[in-house]
Amino acid sequence: MTLNTNFRGPCTFIHIALTRFLLHHSSNFVKMASKTLTASCRCNSVHFTVTIPTEVLPLKIHLCHCSICRYSHGAPCAFHAPLPPGVELQFIDPSGYDKMTSYRHAASVATGYFCSTCGCQIGGFESQWTISTSIFDANREDEGIWKFNSHMLPDSAPDGGLAAVFSAVDGHQMETENLGLSPQAIAGSDSKPPDRESKDLLAQCHCTGVSFLIARPSEKFIASPKSKGLISPSDKRKWLARMDLGDDSRLVSGANVISWMSVSADHITPRLPKDLLIGSAKAYCPSKDTLLVFCGTCGATVFSHSEERPEIVDVAMGIVRAPEGAMAEDWNVWATKVSRPENGMRYQAGFARALTEGMQRWGAERGHPQDSGLA
């Protein structure tokens, strides 16, 4: 009996048809199985994509309140999410690793990276990436990408920081996790503790390359017209502070929100030069009238300054080392009205709503004013 190798049975034709279909539509299957996200810092020097398997979406956002994250970001906390193992940053030319500065310290579990030009925190890498989730503007209209999952290490700040302001985003109750660590263990042995005896307030980035003292409003300043909008009418020993959801602030810090303490420049020691560059500081100008300053070693956002308010310096609250905690309520009266909420709503509306409503509730409970006059 001779085997007819040219025989084409019904199963054979089905197999051929299926093979042709799969070959023709294979690109569509790849697209269905993964999602490409695009990230960029404020100056666009760091610009990359990451391709995420759809089965692991949404990525879980952790808000880390540890002092290391606060002091190295200049923000109330870090906003980050671990990427799946094997997912790498795919840089878009001319971007690349050479556009970033790396930072590693004694307590590091990963090497951090930030933009060398504008200071935006990009993420950290050890065996896999933990990425800043605040820099994906290209995907802000996409649904199902992110989930605000947890407040990590809020006990690092005695007052709880933002974890005391809101506990849920988009109706999802966030977890709170301190990992069984003490605040001292969370901070790390290389982090200088706040000085409870000092009459001035220390502001210092994580690497200590930028360090200065803030004094309370002087009697002379309180009596001058310059103090209007800078100090609290109810407690003139305190400066005014506010939360800022602005795009510029987000994209230079790598955090969804940054908090600013507005201070008269002559109350800062050492005396600040006109360009605000002290220690290891570097400057970036997102617009002709605005100057943003960050540490060139650890990447912490330090100052914001506008030509419209030449005598005022906005100090990034994340580097302020107040003994009472991240909100520094012994030094600040907070405007419970968040600055530039429309920017936050456009980027991640759920978080913007949680922060805006939370600040109103938190501030009302503590007697803080609604508006700072500087928002």
Side-chain angles (χ1 to χ4, degrees), residues 288-312:
K288 65 178 183 179
D289 298 325
T290 303
L291 178 70
L292 291 163
V293 176
F294 64 96
C295 174
T297 301
C298 67
T301 301
V302 177
F303 297 127
S304 176
H305 182 260
S306 171
E307 290 296 333
E308 296 178 357
R309 303 180 294 148
E311 297 176 344
I312 300 173

Side-chain angles (χ1 to χ4, degrees), residues 276-356:
L276 305 184
L277 297 183
I278 58 173
S280 55
K282 294 178 67 175
Y284 170 68
C285 296
S287 65
K288 65 178 183 179
D289 298 325
T290 303
L291 178 70
L292 291 163
V293 176
F294 64 96
C295 174
T297 301
C298 67
T301 301
V302 177
F303 297 127
S304 176
H305 182 260
S306 171
E307 290 296 333
E308 296 178 357
R309 303 180 294 148
E311 297 176 344
I312 300 173
V313 175
D314 289 330
V315 178
M317 286 289 297
I319 66 168
V320 168
R321 306 200 177 195
E324 65 272 20
M327 304 298 278
E329 286 188 89
D330 189 46
W331 281 84
N332 292 321
V333 170
W334 284 88
T336 60
K337 181 180 178 182
V338 174
S339 294
R340 299 190 283 185
E342 68 283 356
N343 286 186
M345 290 295 293
R346 189 167 58 243
Y347 185 67
Q348 283 177 334
F351 170 77
R353 280 193 296 268
L355 178 67
T356 300

Side-chain angles (χ1 to χ4, degrees), residues 64-72 103 105-109 153-158 178 181-194 205-207 321:
C64 186
H65 301 264
C66 80
S67 58
I68 294 173
C69 283
R70 285 186 281 118
Y71 298 162
S72 60
Y103 178 59
H105 53 89
S108 290
V109 294
L153 307 175
D155 284 357
S156 175
N178 282 296
L181 299 174
S182 68
Q184 292 75 20
I186 294 168
S189 59
D190 64 334
S191 181
K192 184 177 180 180
C205 65
H206 187 264
C207 72
R321 306 200 177 195

Side-chain angles (χ1 to χ4, degrees), residues 86-330:
V87 173
E88 298 291 339
L89 309 191
Q90 302 298 320
F91 290 100
I92 299 171
D93 287 338
S95 185
Y97 278 98
D98 61 322
K99 305 296 184 182
M100 300 191 295
T101 299
S102 63
Y103 178 59
R104 195 173 181 94
H105 53 89
S108 290
V109 294
T111 299
Y113 292 89
F114 62 92
C115 174
S116 302
T117 301
C118 68
C120 178
Q121 293 285 351
I122 304 301
F125 182 81
E126 186 60 27
S127 59
Q128 66 189 83
W129 277 97
T130 296
I131 204 75
S132 166
T133 61
S134 306
I135 57 176
F136 289 85
D137 285 68
N139 301 96
R140 65 188 181 192
E141 302 294 335
D142 297 348
E143 297 182 357
I145 304 298
W146 311 107
K147 177 183 178 181
F148 282 83
N149 190 71
S150 62
H151 285 292
M152 297 293 292
L153 307 175
D155 284 357
S156 175
D159 58 11
L162 283 189
V165 174
F166 66 91
S167 59
V169 174
D170 284 331
H172 169 70
Q173 191 68 28
M174 297 173 66
E175 300 172 8
T176 299
E177 182 57 71
N178 282 296
L179 304 178
L181 299 174
S182 68
Q184 292 75 20
I186 294 168
S189 59
D190 64 334
S191 181
K192 184 177 180 180
D195 184 352
R196 295 182 179 274
E197 303 300 323
S198 176
K199 65 176 183 177
D200 295 326
L201 178 62
L202 175 66
Q204 188 176 74
C205 65
H206 187 264
C207 72
T208 72
V210 177
S211 183
F212 54 93
L213 296 173
I214 302 169
R216 293 192 183 276
S218 65
E219 292 297 330
K220 180 180 178 181
F221 179 75
I222 292 171
S224 75
K226 296 177 182 178
S227 67
K228 185 178 180 180
L230 280 181
I231 59 175
S232 168
S234 60
D235 190 344
K236 296 181 179 180
R237 302 178 309 113
K238 298 180 180 181
W239 301 100
L240 283 168
R242 70 191 189 281
M243 296 285 178
D244 180 14
L245 287 170
D247 289 337
D248 283 347
S249 296
R250 172 172 56 83
L251 291 172
V252 297
S253 66
N256 277 41
V257 63
I258 194 164
S259 48
W260 300 110
M261 178 182 186
S262 296
V263 178
S264 178
D266 58 6
H267 286 62
I268 292 177
T269 305
R271 183 183 179 90
L272 296 176
K274 187 175 181 179
D275 60 10
L276 305 184
L277 297 183
I278 58 173
S280 55
K282 294 178 67 175
Y284 170 68
C285 296
S287 65
K288 65 178 183 179
D289 298 325
T290 303
L291 178 70
L292 291 163
V293 176
F294 64 96
C295 174
T297 301
C298 67
T301 301
V302 177
F303 297 127
S304 176
H305 182 260
S306 171
E307 290 296 333
E308 296 178 357
R309 303 180 294 148
E311 297 176 344
I312 300 173
V313 175
D314 289 330
V315 178
M317 286 289 297
I319 66 168
V320 168
R321 306 200 177 195
E324 65 272 20
M327 304 298 278
E329 286 188 89
D330 189 46

